[in-house]
Amino acid sequence: MAASKKAVLGPLVGAVDQGTSSTRFLVFNSKTAELLSHHQVEIKQEFPREGWVEQDPKEILHSVYECIEKTCEKLGQLNIDISNIKAIGVSNQRETTVVWDKLTGEPLYNAVVWLDLRTQSTVESLSKRIPGNNNFVKSKTGLPLSTYFSAVKLRWLLDNVRKVQKAVEEKRALFGTIDSWLIWSLTGGVNGGVHCTDVTNASRTMLFNIHSLEWDKQLCEFFGIPMEILPNVRSSSEIYGLMKAGALEGVPISGCLGDQSAALVGQMCFQNGQAKNTYGTGCFLLCNTGHKCVFSDHGLLTTVAYKLGRDKPVYYALEGSVAIAGAVIRWLRDNLGIIESSEEIEKLAKEVGTSYGCYFVPAFSGLYAPYWEPSARGIICGLTQFTNKCHIAFAALEAVCFQTREILDAMNRDCGIPLSHLQVDGGMTSNKILMQLQADILYIPVVKPSMPETTALGAAMAAGAAEGVGVWSLEPEDLSAVTMERFEPQINAEESEIRYSTWKKAVMKSMGWVTTQSPESGDPSIFCSLPLGFFIVSSMVMLIGARYISGIP
Protein backbone atom coordinates (compact mmCIF):
# COMPACT_ATOMS: atom_id res chain seq x y z
CA MET A 1 0.00 0.00 0.00
CA ALA A 2 1.42 3.42 -0.98
CA ALA A 3 2.38 5.76 1.83
CA SER A 4 -0.23 8.44 2.42
CA LYS A 5 0.71 11.86 1.11
CA LYS A 6 1.71 14.51 3.63
CA ALA A 7 -0.70 17.43 3.92
CA VAL A 8 0.56 20.71 2.48
CA LEU A 9 -0.42 23.61 4.73
CA GLY A 10 2.10 26.25 3.81
CA PRO A 11 4.69 27.61 6.27
CA LEU A 12 4.27 26.60 9.92
CA VAL A 13 5.76 28.25 13.01
CA GLY A 14 6.39 26.66 16.39
CA ALA A 15 6.29 28.33 19.81
CA VAL A 16 7.81 27.29 23.12
CA ASP A 17 5.56 28.60 25.92
CA GLN A 18 7.53 28.05 29.13
CA GLY A 19 5.36 29.16 32.05
CA THR A 20 5.57 28.88 35.82
CA SER A 21 3.23 25.88 35.99
CA SER A 22 3.92 24.10 32.70
CA THR A 23 5.85 23.98 29.44
CA ARG A 24 4.12 23.72 26.07
CA PHE A 25 5.12 23.56 22.43
CA LEU A 26 2.52 24.66 19.91
CA VAL A 27 2.54 24.77 16.10
CA PHE A 28 0.56 27.33 14.09
CA ASN A 29 -0.25 27.84 10.42
CA SER A 30 1.39 31.19 9.64
CA LYS A 31 -1.25 32.13 7.04
CA THR A 32 -4.36 31.48 9.14
CA ALA A 33 -3.02 31.53 12.76
CA GLU A 34 -4.73 28.13 13.21
CA LEU A 35 -3.35 25.99 16.05
CA LEU A 36 -2.49 22.61 14.53
CA SER A 37 -1.06 20.65 17.45
CA HIS A 38 0.55 21.01 20.86
CA HIS A 39 1.91 19.12 23.86
CA GLN A 40 2.09 20.18 27.51
CA VAL A 41 4.14 19.03 30.53
CA GLU A 42 3.54 20.26 34.09
CA ILE A 43 6.60 21.71 35.85
CA LYS A 44 7.38 20.97 39.49
CA GLN A 45 7.72 23.88 41.88
CA GLU A 46 9.91 23.43 44.95
CA PHE A 47 9.37 25.26 48.25
CA PRO A 48 12.55 24.54 50.29
CA ARG A 49 11.61 27.14 52.92
CA GLU A 50 8.62 29.34 53.57
CA GLY A 51 8.51 32.08 50.94
CA TRP A 52 11.10 30.38 48.74
CA VAL A 53 10.04 29.18 45.27
CA GLU A 54 12.46 27.30 43.03
CA GLN A 55 12.48 25.19 39.87
CA ASP A 56 15.06 22.89 38.31
CA PRO A 57 16.48 24.55 35.14
CA LYS A 58 17.38 21.14 33.69
CA GLU A 59 13.82 19.88 34.22
CA ILE A 60 12.57 22.97 32.40
CA LEU A 61 14.97 22.35 29.48
CA HIS A 62 14.08 18.64 29.27
CA SER A 63 10.38 19.56 29.29
CA VAL A 64 10.96 21.80 26.25
CA TYR A 65 12.64 18.99 24.33
CA GLU A 66 9.88 16.56 25.35
CA CYS A 67 7.13 18.94 24.23
CA ILE A 68 8.83 19.53 20.87
CA GLU A 69 9.30 15.80 20.22
CA LYS A 70 5.73 14.87 21.26
CA THR A 71 4.19 17.68 19.19
CA CYS A 72 6.19 16.61 16.15
CA GLU A 73 4.93 13.03 16.66
CA LYS A 74 1.34 14.32 16.82
CA LEU A 75 1.86 16.31 13.63
CA GLY A 76 3.12 13.14 11.95
CA GLN A 77 -0.04 11.33 13.01
CA LEU A 78 -2.03 14.18 11.44
CA ASN A 79 -0.03 13.66 8.25
CA ILE A 80 1.58 17.11 8.56
CA ASP A 81 5.20 17.39 7.40
CA ILE A 82 7.36 18.93 10.17
CA SER A 83 9.83 20.19 7.54
CA ASN A 84 7.25 22.95 7.00
CA ILE A 85 8.13 24.40 10.43
CA LYS A 86 10.20 27.41 9.39
CA ALA A 87 10.85 29.12 12.72
CA ILE A 88 10.46 28.82 16.48
CA GLY A 89 9.52 31.53 18.98
CA VAL A 90 10.12 31.47 22.72
CA SER A 91 7.77 32.88 25.36
CA ASN A 92 8.69 32.51 29.01
CA GLN A 93 7.88 33.23 32.64
CA ARG A 94 9.68 36.49 33.31
CA GLU A 95 12.07 37.55 36.13
CA THR A 96 12.85 33.93 37.14
CA THR A 97 16.62 33.86 37.55
CA VAL A 98 19.18 31.23 36.44
CA VAL A 99 22.98 31.20 36.74
CA TRP A 100 24.89 28.46 34.96
CA ASP A 101 28.45 27.36 34.08
CA LYS A 102 29.29 28.15 30.45
CA LEU A 103 32.00 25.45 30.39
CA THR A 104 29.88 22.54 31.67
CA GLY A 105 26.38 23.77 30.84
CA GLU A 106 25.27 22.92 34.39
CA PRO A 107 23.07 25.24 36.46
CA LEU A 108 24.90 26.46 39.57
CA TYR A 109 21.67 26.64 41.61
CA ASN A 110 17.97 26.10 41.06
CA ALA A 111 16.06 28.78 39.18
CA VAL A 112 14.80 31.36 41.69
CA VAL A 113 11.20 31.93 40.60
CA TRP A 114 9.60 35.37 40.23
CA LEU A 115 7.22 34.62 43.14
CA ASP A 116 10.12 33.98 45.54
CA LEU A 117 10.29 36.20 48.68
CA ARG A 118 13.71 35.33 50.16
CA THR A 119 15.17 38.68 49.06
CA GLN A 120 12.92 40.89 51.21
CA SER A 121 15.75 41.88 53.59
CA THR A 122 17.95 42.63 50.54
CA VAL A 123 15.23 44.89 49.17
CA GLU A 124 14.88 46.71 52.50
CA SER A 125 18.62 47.37 52.84
CA LEU A 126 18.93 48.51 49.20
CA SER A 127 15.90 50.83 49.48
CA LYS A 128 17.72 52.79 52.21
CA ARG A 129 20.44 53.64 49.68
CA ILE A 130 18.03 55.25 47.17
CA PRO A 131 17.68 59.03 47.69
CA GLY A 132 14.08 60.02 48.40
CA ASN A 133 14.23 62.80 45.83
CA ASN A 134 15.94 60.69 43.14
CA ASN A 135 14.57 57.19 42.70
CA PHE A 136 16.95 56.43 39.84
CA VAL A 137 15.98 52.73 39.90
CA LYS A 138 12.35 53.47 39.05
CA SER A 139 13.12 56.31 36.62
CA LYS A 140 15.52 54.12 34.63
CA THR A 141 13.67 50.79 34.83
CA GLY A 142 9.99 51.69 35.34
CA LEU A 143 9.95 49.22 38.25
CA PRO A 144 9.63 49.53 42.04
CA LEU A 145 12.36 47.97 44.14
CA SER A 146 10.78 44.58 44.88
CA THR A 147 11.52 40.90 45.43
CA TYR A 148 9.66 40.33 42.13
CA PHE A 149 12.52 41.31 39.80
CA SER A 150 15.72 39.53 38.79
CA ALA A 151 18.43 41.87 40.11
CA VAL A 152 17.76 41.14 43.79
CA LYS A 153 17.49 37.38 43.11
CA LEU A 154 20.87 37.50 41.37
CA ARG A 155 22.30 39.53 44.24
CA TRP A 156 21.10 36.83 46.67
CA LEU A 157 22.77 34.10 44.60
CA LEU A 158 26.04 36.05 44.52
CA ASP A 159 25.89 36.56 48.30
CA ASN A 160 24.81 33.08 49.37
CA VAL A 161 25.83 30.39 46.87
CA ARG A 162 29.55 29.57 46.86
CA LYS A 163 29.36 27.76 43.49
CA VAL A 164 27.97 30.95 41.92
CA GLN A 165 30.61 33.14 43.60
CA LYS A 166 33.44 30.85 42.42
CA ALA A 167 32.12 30.67 38.84
CA VAL A 168 31.91 34.49 38.69
CA GLU A 169 35.46 34.81 40.02
CA GLU A 170 36.71 32.32 37.40
CA LYS A 171 34.73 33.99 34.57
CA ARG A 172 32.63 30.84 34.01
CA ALA A 173 29.22 32.18 35.09
CA LEU A 174 26.37 33.22 32.82
CA PHE A 175 23.15 34.83 34.05
CA GLY A 176 19.81 34.80 32.32
CA THR A 177 16.08 34.69 32.69
CA ILE A 178 14.43 31.50 31.41
CA ASP A 179 14.49 32.66 27.77
CA SER A 180 18.29 33.08 27.91
CA TRP A 181 18.82 29.67 29.50
CA LEU A 182 16.63 27.98 26.87
CA ILE A 183 18.04 29.80 23.83
CA TRP A 184 21.64 29.22 24.97
CA SER A 185 20.92 25.51 25.52
CA LEU A 186 18.85 24.96 22.35
CA THR A 187 21.42 26.70 20.12
CA GLY A 188 24.31 24.50 21.26
CA GLY A 189 25.01 25.22 24.92
CA VAL A 190 28.70 24.65 25.64
CA ASN A 191 29.23 24.19 21.89
CA GLY A 192 28.59 27.74 20.77
CA GLY A 193 25.23 28.43 22.41
CA VAL A 194 23.95 31.99 21.92
CA HIS A 195 23.78 33.96 25.18
CA CYS A 196 21.06 36.55 24.57
CA THR A 197 17.75 37.91 25.76
CA ASP A 198 15.20 40.28 24.27
CA VAL A 199 14.22 43.78 25.36
CA THR A 200 11.00 42.63 27.07
CA ASN A 201 12.75 40.14 29.34
CA ALA A 202 15.69 42.49 29.96
CA SER A 203 13.23 45.16 31.10
CA ARG A 204 12.15 42.89 34.00
CA THR A 205 15.61 42.51 35.55
CA MET A 206 15.94 45.99 37.18
CA LEU A 207 19.34 46.24 35.46
CA PHE A 208 18.08 47.51 32.09
CA ASN A 209 17.58 51.13 31.08
CA ILE A 210 14.22 51.15 29.26
CA HIS A 211 15.03 54.50 27.61
CA SER A 212 18.46 53.68 26.10
CA LEU A 213 17.57 49.94 25.75
CA GLU A 214 20.92 48.92 27.27
CA TRP A 215 22.24 47.35 30.45
CA ASP A 216 22.82 50.27 32.80
CA LYS A 217 26.25 50.67 34.44
CA GLN A 218 24.87 52.66 37.40
CA LEU A 219 22.18 50.04 38.10
CA CYS A 220 24.67 47.17 37.85
CA GLU A 221 26.99 48.96 40.29
CA PHE A 222 24.09 49.68 42.66
CA PHE A 223 23.09 45.99 42.78
CA GLY A 224 26.71 44.80 42.61
CA ILE A 225 26.23 42.76 39.42
CA PRO A 226 29.23 42.10 37.14
CA MET A 227 28.16 43.15 33.64
CA GLU A 228 30.16 40.41 31.91
CA ILE A 229 27.68 37.72 33.07
CA LEU A 230 24.70 39.46 31.42
CA PRO A 231 23.26 38.26 28.08
CA ASN A 232 23.35 40.33 24.88
CA VAL A 233 20.09 42.25 24.44
CA ARG A 234 18.33 41.75 21.10
CA SER A 235 14.99 42.70 19.59
CA SER A 236 11.95 40.45 20.06
CA SER A 237 11.97 39.35 16.40
CA GLU A 238 15.23 38.34 14.74
CA ILE A 239 17.20 35.14 14.16
CA TYR A 240 19.20 34.41 17.33
CA GLY A 241 20.53 30.99 16.29
CA LEU A 242 19.55 27.54 15.02
CA MET A 243 18.22 24.50 16.89
CA LYS A 244 21.18 22.14 17.35
CA ALA A 245 19.38 18.92 18.35
CA GLY A 246 16.09 17.06 18.21
CA ALA A 247 13.37 16.73 15.59
CA LEU A 248 13.65 20.39 14.58
CA GLU A 249 17.45 20.59 14.26
CA GLY A 250 18.43 23.43 11.94
CA VAL A 251 15.23 25.46 12.44
CA PRO A 252 15.93 29.09 13.42
CA ILE A 253 14.87 30.45 16.81
CA SER A 254 13.73 33.89 15.73
CA GLY A 255 11.20 35.20 18.26
CA CYS A 256 11.55 35.93 21.97
CA LEU A 257 9.07 37.70 24.25
CA GLY A 258 8.33 37.61 27.95
CA ASP A 259 5.00 35.84 28.34
CA GLN A 260 2.90 38.95 29.00
CA SER A 261 4.38 40.82 26.04
CA ALA A 262 3.76 37.74 23.91
CA ALA A 263 0.09 37.75 24.95
CA LEU A 264 -0.17 41.47 24.06
CA VAL A 265 1.14 40.65 20.56
CA GLY A 266 -1.05 37.55 20.30
CA GLN A 267 -4.12 39.63 21.19
CA MET A 268 -2.98 42.03 18.43
CA CYS A 269 -2.91 45.00 20.81
CA PHE A 270 -0.67 47.01 18.48
CA GLN A 271 -2.40 50.37 18.96
CA ASN A 272 -1.88 52.89 21.73
CA GLY A 273 -4.57 52.30 24.39
CA GLN A 274 -5.29 48.65 23.57
CA ALA A 275 -5.10 46.32 26.58
CA LYS A 276 -5.32 42.66 27.55
CA ASN A 277 -5.46 40.66 30.78
CA THR A 278 -3.83 37.22 31.03
CA TYR A 279 -4.96 34.71 33.66
CA GLY A 280 -2.09 32.34 34.38
CA THR A 281 -0.17 31.55 37.58
CA GLY A 282 -0.51 35.27 38.21
CA CYS A 283 -2.70 37.84 36.50
CA PHE A 284 -1.25 40.53 34.24
CA LEU A 285 -3.02 43.50 32.69
CA LEU A 286 -0.99 45.31 30.00
CA CYS A 287 -1.96 48.45 28.12
CA ASN A 288 0.01 49.51 25.04
CA THR A 289 1.24 53.10 25.47
CA GLY A 290 2.95 53.33 22.08
CA HIS A 291 6.45 54.79 21.76
CA LYS A 292 6.06 56.73 25.01
CA CYS A 293 7.09 55.61 28.51
CA VAL A 294 4.11 56.40 30.73
CA PHE A 295 4.89 56.39 34.45
CA SER A 296 2.10 55.43 36.82
CA ASP A 297 0.84 57.40 39.81
CA HIS A 298 -1.24 54.43 40.96
CA GLY A 299 1.12 51.49 41.52
CA LEU A 300 1.48 50.15 37.96
CA LEU A 301 4.76 49.26 36.25
CA THR A 302 6.24 50.80 33.12
CA THR A 303 7.70 48.09 30.91
CA VAL A 304 8.84 47.33 27.37
CA ALA A 305 5.94 45.85 25.41
CA TYR A 306 7.88 44.64 22.33
CA LYS A 307 10.37 45.58 19.62
CA LEU A 308 9.53 43.50 16.57
CA GLY A 309 12.80 43.74 14.65
CA ARG A 310 16.31 45.18 14.98
CA ASP A 311 15.39 48.31 13.05
CA LYS A 312 11.81 48.54 14.32
CA PRO A 313 10.68 51.01 17.01
CA VAL A 314 10.21 49.98 20.62
CA TYR A 315 6.71 49.99 22.15
CA TYR A 316 6.02 50.42 25.86
CA ALA A 317 3.21 49.32 28.17
CA LEU A 318 1.71 50.04 31.56
CA GLU A 319 1.33 46.83 33.53
CA GLY A 320 -0.70 45.77 36.53
CA SER A 321 0.79 42.61 38.06
CA VAL A 322 -1.09 40.25 40.40
CA ALA A 323 1.09 37.54 41.95
CA ILE A 324 -1.53 34.86 42.61
CA ALA A 325 -4.33 33.92 40.20
CA GLY A 326 -4.19 30.36 38.85
CA ALA A 327 -1.72 29.60 41.63
CA VAL A 328 -4.58 29.81 44.14
CA ILE A 329 -6.36 26.95 42.32
CA ARG A 330 -3.19 24.86 42.40
CA TRP A 331 -2.88 25.64 46.13
CA LEU A 332 -6.45 24.46 46.81
CA ARG A 333 -5.57 21.25 44.94
CA ASP A 334 -2.06 20.53 46.23
CA ASN A 335 -2.06 22.05 49.74
CA LEU A 336 -5.65 21.74 50.97
CA GLY A 337 -6.82 18.87 48.77
CA ILE A 338 -10.36 20.25 48.41
CA ILE A 339 -10.19 19.63 44.64
CA GLU A 340 -8.47 16.83 42.73
CA SER A 341 -8.01 18.73 39.47
CA SER A 342 -7.95 22.41 38.53
CA GLU A 343 -11.07 21.97 36.40
CA GLU A 344 -13.08 20.82 39.44
CA ILE A 345 -13.19 24.31 40.96
CA GLU A 346 -15.76 25.46 38.41
CA LYS A 347 -18.07 22.60 39.43
CA LEU A 348 -17.72 23.40 43.15
CA ALA A 349 -18.32 27.11 42.61
CA LYS A 350 -21.37 26.38 40.45
CA GLU A 351 -22.97 24.31 43.23
CA VAL A 352 -23.36 27.37 45.48
CA GLY A 353 -23.20 30.34 43.09
CA THR A 354 -21.96 32.60 45.89
CA SER A 355 -19.18 32.85 48.46
CA TYR A 356 -21.84 33.49 51.14
CA GLY A 357 -19.86 36.40 52.59
CA CYS A 358 -16.54 34.56 52.52
CA TYR A 359 -13.59 36.56 51.10
CA PHE A 360 -10.20 35.12 50.14
CA VAL A 361 -7.12 37.34 49.75
CA PRO A 362 -4.41 35.01 48.31
CA ALA A 363 -1.43 37.20 49.24
CA PHE A 364 0.93 34.21 49.41
CA SER A 365 3.81 36.33 48.07
CA GLY A 366 2.69 39.65 49.52
CA LEU A 367 0.59 42.00 47.41
CA TYR A 368 1.80 43.23 44.02
CA ALA A 369 0.02 46.03 42.09
CA PRO A 370 -1.33 48.43 43.08
CA TYR A 371 -0.13 48.03 46.71
CA TRP A 372 3.42 46.61 46.52
CA GLU A 373 3.04 45.45 50.10
CA PRO A 374 5.47 42.62 50.95
CA SER A 375 4.18 42.30 54.53
CA ALA A 376 0.77 41.00 53.38
CA ARG A 377 -0.13 37.32 53.64
CA GLY A 378 -3.11 35.25 52.58
CA ILE A 379 -6.31 35.36 54.59
CA ILE A 380 -9.78 33.84 54.33
CA CYS A 381 -12.34 35.85 56.30
CA GLY A 382 -16.09 36.01 56.75
CA LEU A 383 -16.23 32.32 57.69
CA THR A 384 -19.31 30.95 59.47
CA GLN A 385 -20.46 27.46 60.41
CA PHE A 386 -22.34 27.43 57.11
CA THR A 387 -19.13 27.94 55.04
CA ASN A 388 -17.97 24.88 53.11
CA LYS A 389 -15.41 24.08 50.44
CA CYS A 390 -17.77 25.22 47.66
CA HIS A 391 -17.92 28.72 49.17
CA ILE A 392 -14.12 28.81 49.51
CA ALA A 393 -13.80 27.70 45.86
CA PHE A 394 -16.16 30.49 44.79
CA ALA A 395 -14.26 33.02 46.94
CA ALA A 396 -10.99 31.94 45.27
CA LEU A 397 -12.44 32.71 41.83
CA GLU A 398 -13.83 36.02 43.08
CA ALA A 399 -10.38 36.90 44.43
CA VAL A 400 -8.89 36.70 40.94
CA CYS A 401 -11.61 39.02 39.65
CA PHE A 402 -11.34 41.52 42.51
CA GLN A 403 -7.57 41.76 42.03
CA THR A 404 -8.13 42.44 38.33
CA ARG A 405 -10.64 45.17 39.24
CA GLU A 406 -8.00 46.86 41.41
CA ILE A 407 -5.39 47.00 38.64
CA LEU A 408 -8.00 47.99 36.02
CA ASP A 409 -9.12 50.91 38.22
CA ALA A 410 -5.47 51.98 38.57
CA MET A 411 -4.95 51.76 34.81
CA ASN A 412 -8.09 53.78 34.08
CA ARG A 413 -6.85 56.52 36.43
CA ASP A 414 -3.39 56.56 34.82
CA CYS A 415 -4.66 56.53 31.23
CA GLY A 416 -7.59 58.88 31.80
CA ILE A 417 -9.83 56.95 29.39
CA PRO A 418 -11.65 53.98 31.00
CA LEU A 419 -11.55 50.71 29.08
CA SER A 420 -14.93 49.95 27.49
CA HIS A 421 -14.28 46.18 27.55
CA LEU A 422 -11.53 43.82 28.67
CA GLN A 423 -9.74 41.42 26.30
CA VAL A 424 -8.70 38.29 28.18
CA ASP A 425 -6.62 35.16 27.60
CA GLY A 426 -4.79 32.43 29.49
CA GLY A 427 -5.62 29.01 30.86
CA MET A 428 -8.15 30.18 33.44
CA THR A 429 -10.39 31.79 30.80
CA SER A 430 -11.87 28.37 30.00
CA ASN A 431 -13.72 28.72 33.35
CA LYS A 432 -17.06 30.29 32.38
CA ILE A 433 -18.01 31.12 35.98
CA LEU A 434 -14.74 33.05 36.36
CA MET A 435 -15.37 34.99 33.14
CA GLN A 436 -18.94 35.87 34.15
CA LEU A 437 -17.77 36.91 37.62
CA GLN A 438 -15.12 39.09 36.00
CA ALA A 439 -17.72 40.89 33.85
CA ASP A 440 -19.95 41.37 36.92
CA ILE A 441 -17.15 42.73 39.13
CA LEU A 442 -15.70 45.05 36.47
CA TYR A 443 -19.16 45.99 35.23
CA ILE A 444 -17.89 46.02 31.63
CA PRO A 445 -18.00 43.24 28.99
CA VAL A 446 -15.22 40.63 29.01
CA VAL A 447 -14.12 39.45 25.56
CA LYS A 448 -12.30 36.16 25.08
CA PRO A 449 -10.81 34.80 21.83
CA SER A 450 -12.06 31.37 20.79
CA MET A 451 -8.39 30.27 20.55
CA PRO A 452 -7.06 31.13 24.03
CA GLU A 453 -3.37 30.34 23.35
CA THR A 454 -2.49 33.95 22.65
CA THR A 455 0.84 33.88 24.52
CA ALA A 456 2.20 31.15 22.25
CA LEU A 457 0.59 32.80 19.24
CA GLY A 458 2.44 36.06 20.00
CA ALA A 459 5.79 34.25 20.18
CA ALA A 460 5.01 32.46 16.89
CA MET A 461 4.06 35.75 15.20
CA ALA A 462 7.34 37.37 16.30
CA ALA A 463 9.33 34.35 15.05
CA GLY A 464 7.53 34.09 11.73
CA ALA A 465 7.83 37.82 11.03
CA ALA A 466 11.60 37.97 11.66
CA GLU A 467 13.93 39.18 8.94
CA GLY A 468 15.32 36.12 7.14
CA VAL A 469 12.16 34.10 7.95
CA GLY A 470 9.35 36.31 6.67
CA VAL A 471 6.49 33.80 6.71
CA TRP A 472 4.13 35.80 8.97
CA SER A 473 2.92 39.26 8.02
CA LEU A 474 2.12 41.67 10.86
CA GLU A 475 0.52 44.22 8.55
CA PRO A 476 -2.99 45.06 9.86
CA GLU A 477 -4.70 43.98 6.63
CA ASP A 478 -2.99 40.56 6.78
CA LEU A 479 -3.80 39.70 10.39
CA SER A 480 -6.40 36.95 10.72
CA ALA A 481 -9.80 37.88 12.13
CA VAL A 482 -10.40 36.27 15.52
CA THR A 483 -13.77 34.99 16.70
CA MET A 484 -14.63 36.13 20.23
CA GLU A 485 -16.85 35.01 23.09
CA ARG A 486 -18.41 37.87 25.04
CA PHE A 487 -19.53 37.96 28.69
CA GLU A 488 -21.86 40.83 29.69
CA PRO A 489 -22.39 42.02 33.30
CA GLN A 490 -25.46 40.32 34.82
CA ILE A 491 -25.75 42.08 38.19
CA ASN A 492 -26.56 45.69 38.97
CA ALA A 493 -23.78 48.21 39.51
CA GLU A 494 -24.70 48.78 43.18
CA GLU A 495 -24.28 45.09 44.07
CA SER A 496 -20.97 45.00 42.20
CA GLU A 497 -19.70 47.99 44.22
CA ILE A 498 -20.81 46.51 47.58
CA ARG A 499 -18.93 43.28 46.90
CA TYR A 500 -15.85 45.18 45.78
CA SER A 501 -15.81 47.47 48.84
CA THR A 502 -16.05 44.42 51.15
CA TRP A 503 -13.12 42.85 49.31
CA LYS A 504 -11.09 46.04 49.93
CA LYS A 505 -11.75 45.66 53.67
CA ALA A 506 -10.38 42.12 53.51
CA VAL A 507 -7.27 43.33 51.66
CA MET A 508 -6.56 45.84 54.43
CA LYS A 509 -6.74 43.02 57.00
CA SER A 510 -4.15 40.98 55.04
CA MET A 511 -1.45 43.65 55.44
CA GLY A 512 1.22 43.91 58.10
CA TRP A 513 1.30 40.20 58.93
CA VAL A 514 5.02 39.72 58.43
CA THR A 515 7.72 41.67 60.20
CA THR A 516 11.46 41.45 59.66
CA GLN A 517 11.91 40.40 63.29
CA SER A 518 13.35 36.91 63.59
CA PRO A 519 10.82 34.19 64.54
CA GLU A 520 13.39 32.80 67.00
CA SER A 521 12.89 35.92 69.12
CA GLY A 522 9.65 34.55 70.50
CA ASP A 523 7.68 37.43 69.02
CA PRO A 524 4.03 36.52 68.38
CA SER A 525 4.54 37.50 64.73
CA ILE A 526 5.95 33.98 64.30
CA PHE A 527 2.34 32.91 63.80
CA CYS A 528 2.07 35.26 60.85
CA SER A 529 4.52 33.10 58.92
CA LEU A 530 2.52 29.92 59.39
CA PRO A 531 0.87 28.58 56.24
CA LEU A 532 -2.65 29.79 55.54
CA GLY A 533 -3.80 26.19 55.70
CA PHE A 534 -2.89 26.16 59.42
CA PHE A 535 -5.43 28.89 60.13
CA ILE A 536 -8.13 27.26 58.01
CA VAL A 537 -7.64 23.88 59.68
CA SER A 538 -7.47 25.55 63.12
CA SER A 539 -10.70 27.43 62.40
CA MET A 540 -12.41 24.24 61.29
CA VAL A 541 -11.19 22.38 64.39
CA MET A 542 -12.52 25.18 66.64
CA LEU A 543 -15.85 25.16 64.81
CA ILE A 544 -16.16 21.38 65.17
CA GLY A 545 -15.18 21.65 68.85
CA ALA A 546 -17.75 24.36 69.45
CA ARG A 547 -20.47 22.29 67.82
CA TYR A 548 -19.48 19.27 69.95
CA ILE A 549 -19.45 21.26 73.19
CA SER A 550 -22.82 22.82 72.47
CA GLY A 551 -24.34 19.42 71.69
CA ILE A 552 -24.96 20.15 68.01
CA PRO A 553 -24.57 16.92 66.01
Side-chain angles (χ1 to χ4, degrees), residues 159-437:
D159 288 339
N160 294 281
V161 181
R162 181 58 193 145
K163 283 169 72 175
V164 172
Q165 296 164 354
K166 196 164 186 292
V168 169
E169 290 162 9
E170 296 173 2
K171 312 293 185 188
R172 292 182 286 109
L174 295 179
F175 153 78
T177 41
I178 294 295
D179 57 305
S180 298
W181 163 244
L182 292 179
I183 292 172
W184 184 83
S185 301
L186 296 172
T187 57
V190 295
N191 298 309
V194 178
H195 187 216
C196 69
T197 188
D198 90 300
V199 289
T200 69
N201 281 295
S203 75
R204 311 299 292 193
T205 60
M206 264 193 322
L207 301 170
F208 186 71
N209 188 314
I210 61 173
H211 310 285
S212 66
L213 303 183
E214 296 173 325
W215 298 121
D216 190 282
K217 190 169 185 288
Q218 183 188 13
L219 290 170
C220 289
E221 287 174 353
F222 176 72
F223 289 104
I225 306 300
M227 294 184 78
E228 63 269 18
I229 72 173
L230 303 177
N232 292 319
V233 182
R234 312 275 284 270
S235 78
S236 309
S237 178
E238 61 179 275
I239 295 174
Y240 314 112
L242 306 181
M243 289 283 292
K244 289 295 170 69
L248 298 180
E249 185 177 352
V251 175
I253 299 174
S254 53
C256 179
L257 290 153
D259 51 9
Q260 303 314 316
S261 289
L264 195 73
V265 171
Q267 286 265 32
M268 300 176 204
C269 295
F270 294 126
Q271 302 301 315
N272 190 345
Q274 288 186 304
K276 65 88 206 172
N277 196 37
T278 299
Y279 300 76
T281 298
C283 207
F284 302 90
L285 177 63
L286 267 72
C287 180
N288 189 329
T289 62
H291 305 308
K292 183 182 175 187
C293 277
V294 176
F295 284 85
S296 172
D297 294 321
H298 301 97
L300 303 182
L301 312 178
T302 304
T303 197
V304 175
Y306 52 82
K307 186 178 188 293
L308 295 174
R310 275 180 288 196
D311 301 322
K312 297 290 175 68
V314 65
Y315 283 75
Y316 296 95
L318 271 177
E319 176 177 328
S321 314
V322 170
I324 303 294
V328 75
I329 313 304
R330 189 167 176 165
W331 182 82
L332 290 174
R333 183 193 71 184
D334 297 346
N335 292 41
L336 289 196
I338 70 171
I339 53 173
E340 291 182 5
S341 68
S342 298
E343 294 73 29
E344 199 181 324
I345 194 161
E346 185 171 8
K347 182 183 169 190
L348 284 184
K350 193 174 183 180
E351 280 184 34
V352 287
T354 174
S355 65
Y356 202 77
C358 170
Y359 285 82
F360 190 164
V361 182
F364 301 157
S365 297
L367 289 166
Y368 283 13
Y371 301 102
W372 299 105
E373 181 49 72
S375 73
R377 284 298 177 271
I379 64 167
I380 298 178
C381 54
L383 295 172
T384 70
Q385 287 176 296
F386 185 71
T387 307
N388 62 36
K389 66 180 182 178
C390 297
H391 299 114
I392 291 172
F394 195 95
L397 295 182
E398 275 192 319
V400 175
C401 301
F402 286 130
Q403 290 179 104
T404 297
R405 166 77 188 266
E406 290 188 306
I407 56 177
L408 185 72
D409 283 357
M411 193 160 284
N412 286 339
R413 288 196 293 273
D414 277 324
C415 295
I417 304 170
L419 290 177
S420 60
H421 66 276
L422 183 65
Q423 289 178 232
V424 301
D425 59 78
M428 291 187 80
T429 61
S430 61
N431 186 321
K432 290 187 184 298
I433 287 184
L434 177 71
M435 293 295 94
Q436 186 56 57
L437 272 173

